Amino acid sequence: MSMDIWLTFLCAAILLSLIPGAGAISTMSNTIKHGFKTTLVGNLGLQTGNLINIIIVGAGLGALLAESETAFSVIKWGRGLLFNLPWLSKIPRGWHH
């Protein structure tokens, strides 16, 4: 790798690490609006999602999904069904507002 590419990558990595992501903004917003306990539950959810993502990457599922259109479609449609279930509207207001 040339020094120019490496320095460009380093600058981009530093810049991106300084910008808060969606999880950080969500955590700060929830803390201001709802307090520590509610934020803790949300933060545990974010960290659980991160752990699942790490496990999936470590297991090599990304390579499998890149090679298999059927596997990718199953994951895509399964996720869509999960996030659009009618029972999601039954969650109490305090948990999602």
Side-chain angles (χ1 to χ4, degrees), residues 24-60:
I25 292 172
S26 173
T27 299
M28 289 182 275
S29 175
N30 285 337
T31 301
I32 292 168
K33 288 181 184 177
H34 304 290
F36 177 76
K37 288 183 182 178
T38 303
T39 302
L40 183 61
V41 173
N43 203 358
L44 289 173
L46 286 170
Q47 297 309 318
T48 301
N50 287 338
L51 179 62
I52 291 169
N53 193 25
I54 290 168
I55 291 170
I56 288 171
V57 169

Side-chain angles (χ1 to χ4, degrees), residues 65-77:
L65 294 176
E67 293 297 320
S68 172
E69 187 175 333
T70 303
F72 179 75
S73 293
V74 167
I75 297 292
K76 179 175 69 173
W77 286 101

